[in-house]
Amino acid sequence: MSALDSHQATASPQPPRDAQQPVSLYRRLLSWLLIPLLALGTLLLVQAFLSAREAADRAYDRLLEASLVTIAEQVKWQDGQLWLDLPPAALEMLATDAQERVFYSLVDADGEQVTGNTRLPDARSEAGAHGTRDEMAGRSGELAFRDIAWQGQALRLGTLDTRLGGWGDDPRHGQRFSIRVAHTREGRDALTQELYRGSLVRLAGMAILALMVVLVGVRMALAPLTRLRRAIRERDPRSLAALQLTLPRELEELKHALNELLSRMRRVRANQERFIGDASHQLRTPLAGLSAHAELALRQQDPSAWHAALAQMQATASHTAHLANQLLSLTRLNNPEVQPPRVPLELSSLVRDTVSRHFLRCDRAGVDLGLEIAPDIDHAAWTPGVDWQLQEALANLIDNACKHGARVVTVTLSREHAIPASGENAARESATPGRLRLSVEDDGPGITPERRLLVLRPFHRHARADQHPAAQPMSDSSGGQTPEQSGAGLGLAIVDGIARHHDARLSLEASDPVPADGARPGLRVSFHLLPCPPPVTATAPASREASTGPKGDAC
């Protein structure tokens, strides 16, 4: 067997395409409507059959009663005993075209058979009889009907108990006797079938009419859904305008939901278009500067002028590369389909590594970078997260503080406690008990309270020369530019995106709410992260590598 055959043999079979198709709403509605109708139709058929058999039994019982009465009228007293002159019509009225067999018997008061073509039981006392008992008053006695099984045959038996008539002291006066007549059920069954067939024709017509009503009703009920589907399918793919259709109340709610989705998509597209425009502008400006510096250097003959132009080009290229990296990071954060899973991380080790990588650069820039970790959570501050994202957020905050005039930057890791907040930012800056607080605090110009939400937007910055640096948003840049000219306004936007991915609350507040005269309020940016227990495989609490072992969220 070749390698290809082996691969095909081990490959799992694909499920059939038909099995993956969902059941249509039309079929689902028909099923829910037709199945109850089918059950109801079955009950109607059973009821129609029972009604037909009851009507046939009632009609033939009337004939059986007439036969019993006719025979009873022909009973006489003769030669010291009962005598019956049986009229042929009394039995012929029960003998129909179905070739029924008719039996009769005359029984005296002692229960002895006087005459008859067979000995029949009493309809009121026969132990082998079955069916319901039907008694009614006869002309001169009691009348009863019953279904019996007699000598392997199913018979309908009728019994009439009566007396002989007489006058005065005639000993025959009041002599009791019983007439018993039975016949087979062929005629009854034939009449039942005839009546049942008539009911079947009516029920079939009603069933066809009900089926047509259901089919038409379901199709008409789904017509608005078809119009909605056609309106969506025929729309221009580039159009995000709201749907304008008149629909029933249930579909009106669906239309409102679709219009809300389209409205959100319009806002997303507007944000994307603004982001693309701002990004292209931010990239076009340094590229135009590179071209201008290169063109200027080509006109010079002095090598020192070339060196200065190359230095400017190197600074501009570095700034452009940093901006491109930030754009890629922001795009990756805003794409929910490529978000990496969060795993338990030990924050104290992660913060130490990040601060150590930025310490020398901050020291060369004259910035005092410090780290403070609460003793109770040192090497035990676990949170679900993505290590490179938290490192990038912390690096962005440190760079922002350094580039905007801070002389002292302090990174703090602690556990929050229930401290009541006050002031205009109380709802945003209040502590959440139990969460881990990762803060970057500086002594720079800070940000005014009314601008703290605006600086979280991409490319939000102000570059007016007459504006105080404290009103400038925190943003990243490189190349020796002034705070009014530096950055593209992406640093805090990236930090905000990372906070949202970690279900963390991001707060911006002044380091010193009431600064002294001439002092700057500074800025403290804090991550409020959810804690979680360490992973099961982590044996050493100080090891950051052990925290990234098992995939998944331990919280």
Side-chain angles (χ1 to χ4, degrees):
M1 181 182 294
S2 63
L4 179 60
D5 295 338
S6 176
H7 173 72
Q8 293 178 349
T10 57
S12 59
Q14 295 293 332
R17 180 173 299 179
D18 295 340
Q20 300 176 355
Q21 296 180 354
V23 180
S24 66
L25 184 58
Y26 182 78
R27 292 184 179 180
R28 190 184 298 270
L29 288 176
L30 286 182
S31 300
W32 281 105
L33 291 175
L34 293 181
I35 289 177
L37 287 179
L38 181 61
L40 180 60
T42 303
L43 293 178
L44 289 178
L45 290 177
V46 174
Q47 181 63 30
F49 178 78
L50 295 178
S51 298
R53 189 173 65 176
E54 182 181 357
D57 285 342
R58 189 180 300 113
Y60 270 85
D61 284 347
R62 299 288 80 82
L63 294 176
L64 186 57
E65 178 186 0
S67 177
L68 289 170
V69 172
T70 301
I71 294 174
E73 291 177 349
Q74 301 301 319
V75 176
K76 301 177 182 178
W77 185 266
Q78 185 176 350
D79 299 333
Q81 62 178 359
L82 295 173
W83 180 264
L84 173 62
D85 186 10
L86 180 65
L91 298 181
E92 289 177 357
M93 66 177 64
L94 295 174
T96 62
D97 296 339
Q99 302 297 324
E100 290 186 78
R101 292 180 295 278
V102 183
F103 307 94
Y104 75 98
S105 176
L106 173 60
V107 180
D108 59 15
D110 297 330
E112 297 295 332
Q113 182 176 353
V114 177
T115 184
N117 57 7
T118 187
R119 186 177 183 85
L120 293 173
D122 188 359
R124 291 182 293 272
S125 61
E126 176 59 30
H130 63 277
T132 60
R133 181 176 180 179
D134 184 13
E135 295 186 359
M136 62 183 70
R139 293 186 180 180
S140 60
E142 295 181 350
L143 186 64
F145 301 102
R146 188 183 291 268
D147 292 328
I148 65 171
W150 180 253
Q151 297 179 356
Q153 301 179 82
L155 303 178
R156 181 68 171 177
L157 173 64
T159 300
L160 175 62
D161 292 340
T162 184
R163 299 172 182 269
L164 285 175
W167 295 270
D169 296 333
D170 191 347
R172 298 171 298 175
H173 177 69
Q175 180 70 34
R176 297 187 62 85
F177 65 92
S178 175
I179 301 297
R180 302 172 184 176
V181 178
H183 69 107
T184 55
R185 298 190 59 89
E186 285 85 356
R188 294 173 182 263
D189 293 341
L191 181 58
T192 299
Q193 294 297 326
E194 183 178 354
L195 296 175
Y196 185 56
R197 282 194 294 270
S199 300
L200 280 180
V201 173
R202 292 190 294 272
L203 289 176
M206 294 175 59
I208 294 175
L209 180 61
L211 180 60
M212 294 176 60
V213 169
V214 168
L215 292 176
V216 174
V218 170
R219 191 171 296 277
M220 292 181 63
L222 294 179
L225 187 60
T226 303
R227 288 192 289 112
L228 178 62
R229 179 183 60 188
R230 187 180 298 113
I232 296 176
R233 182 176 297 174
E234 294 176 356
R235 285 171 61 92
D236 187 350
R238 296 167 295 181
S239 174
L240 295 178
L243 294 171
Q244 300 297 334
L245 289 175
T246 302
L247 298 172
R249 182 179 59 185
E250 293 79 8
L251 293 182
E252 194 72 20
E253 297 176 358
L254 176 60
K255 187 187 75 173
H256 290 332
L258 287 175
N259 287 337
E260 291 177 1
L261 176 61
L262 292 174
S263 177
R264 293 196 298 269
M265 293 178 65
R266 285 196 300 271
R267 291 194 296 269
V268 170
R269 187 171 70 176
N271 293 334
Q272 289 179 345
E273 290 176 352
R274 186 180 68 250
F275 178 80
I276 293 174
D278 292 340
S280 60
H281 175 73
Q282 294 291 335
L283 291 174
R284 181 178 59 188
T285 300
L287 292 177
L290 285 175
S291 177
H293 288 307
E295 183 178 356
L296 182 61
L298 290 175
R299 295 177 181 177
Q300 302 293 329
Q301 300 297 328
D302 187 4
S304 61
W306 296 346
H307 184 274
L310 289 175
Q312 290 291 335
M313 293 173 64
Q314 190 276 334
T316 304
S318 177
H319 171 69
T320 306
H322 183 66
L323 176 60
N325 290 331
Q326 283 190 321
L327 290 173
L328 292 175
S329 299
L330 190 61
T331 303
R332 183 167 53 175
L333 286 173
N334 292 332
N335 189 357
E337 297 182 358
V338 296
Q339 292 292 350
R342 292 183 293 173
V343 298
L345 299 175
E346 207 287 299
L347 276 180
S348 60
S349 300
L350 183 144
V351 171
R352 282 191 177 91
D353 292 345
T354 307
V355 170
S356 63
R357 285 200 299 268
H358 290 76
F359 180 79
L360 292 179
R361 184 171 61 85
C362 291
D363 186 63
R364 287 194 297 267
V367 177
D368 183 11
L369 178 61
L371 174 63
E372 295 180 2
I373 299 178
D376 58 328
I377 61 172
D378 193 11
H379 301 300
W382 292 90
T383 185
V386 182
D387 52 0
W388 66 265
Q389 290 186 0
L390 292 177
Q391 289 175 348
E392 184 171 357
L394 192 58
N396 271 284
L397 294 177
I398 295 174
D399 288 342
N400 284 339
C402 294
K403 292 172 183 176
H404 287 269
R407 294 182 296 269
V408 178
V409 179
T410 305
V411 179
T412 305
L413 178 61
S414 60
R415 188 181 299 276
E416 293 184 346
H417 302 284
I419 301 176
S422 60
E424 58 182 350
N425 295 325
R428 187 169 177 83
E429 298 174 7
S430 58
T432 304
R435 289 205 177 198
L436 299 173
R437 180 165 183 161
L438 177 59
S439 303
V440 177
E441 183 177 356
D442 62 68
D443 61 347
I447 302 176
T448 56
E450 61 271 11
R451 308 202 62 83
R452 289 174 185 169
L453 291 179
L454 297 176
V455 297
L456 300 179
R457 298 179 181 178
F459 300 110
H460 181 83
R461 64 173 187 169
H462 293 270
R464 298 194 306 268
D466 59 346
Q467 191 174 11
H468 193 274
Q472 297 290 335
M474 303 292 285
S475 57
D476 294 343
S477 66
S478 60
Q481 298 171 336
T482 63
E484 291 83 7
Q485 298 171 340
S486 63
L490 291 178
L492 286 179
I494 295 176
V495 172
D496 184 56
I498 293 174
R500 287 197 304 269
H501 179 58
H502 286 76
D503 297 330
R505 187 169 58 86
L506 185 66
S507 63
L508 285 75
E509 53 190 334
S511 300
D512 188 0
V514 186
D517 294 340
R520 296 186 294 182
L523 181 69
R524 180 168 63 239
V525 183
S526 302
F527 272 93
H528 305 267
L529 297 164
L530 291 170
C532 73
V536 179
T537 57
T539 56
S543 174
R544 182 178 142 228
E545 289 76 15
S547 66
T548 59
K551 294 294 181 182
D553 195 346
C555 298

